Amino acid sequence: MLALEGRFETFTVGRAIEWEKVREIYKLGLKHGMKLAAISGVNGVFSDEDIERVRELALAARAKRAPSRRKARSAPVKAAVAKKARPATRASAG
C-alpha cells in the first residue's frame, strides 16, 4: 500500500506500533480496494467465540503471573536505588 502511494519508508516494524500508523495504513488499504482477511490457522477460520476464549485465557494467565513478576523486579530495583543513595567515599592518601 505504501508503494502504491509512492511512499518508500519503514512504516511499522517491530512491537512498538503506534495506533495512528495502524489507522493510516488501514485507510490506505481501503483507498486501494483492500480489506482485512479473516484470522485463520491450520484448522480454518477463527470464530469470534474462539478469539474471546483466547482473550479470557490470556487475561487469566496474566493475572496469575503479575504478582510474582513484580516481586522479581523489585529486588534489583531496590538494590539499584540503595546503591545510588549511598554517598561516595574517597580513599585517603596514606
Side-chain angles (χ1 to χ4, degrees):
M1 287 176 287
L2 291 172
L4 290 170
E5 290 290 308
R7 295 172 59 179
F8 303 98
E9 61 189 86
T10 302
F11 200 75
T12 51
V13 177
R15 297 177 131 189
I17 298 172
E18 302 165 23
W19 276 112
E20 193 52 44
K21 296 278 190 179
V22 173
R23 286 184 196 98
E24 186 176 353
I25 203 79
Y26 179 72
K27 288 177 184 178
L28 289 175
L30 293 176
K31 176 181 174 182
H32 292 283
M34 297 177 190
K35 64 180 183 174
L36 293 175
I39 300 172
S40 61
V42 295
N43 294 324
V45 175
F46 286 99
S47 68
D48 290 342
E49 292 80 20
D50 294 329
I51 293 170
E52 183 59 29
R53 185 171 41 85
V54 169
R55 181 181 176 276
E56 288 172 4
L57 291 170
L59 290 173
R62 182 189 296 170
K64 279 184 182 178
R65 73 169 188 244
S68 63
R69 290 181 84 190
R70 275 191 223 118
K71 288 178 186 173
R73 288 183 192 159
S74 63
V77 170
K78 285 179 185 176
V81 169
K83 184 177 179 181
K84 200 172 195 179
R86 279 189 232 135
T89 57
R90 294 184 184 188
S92 59

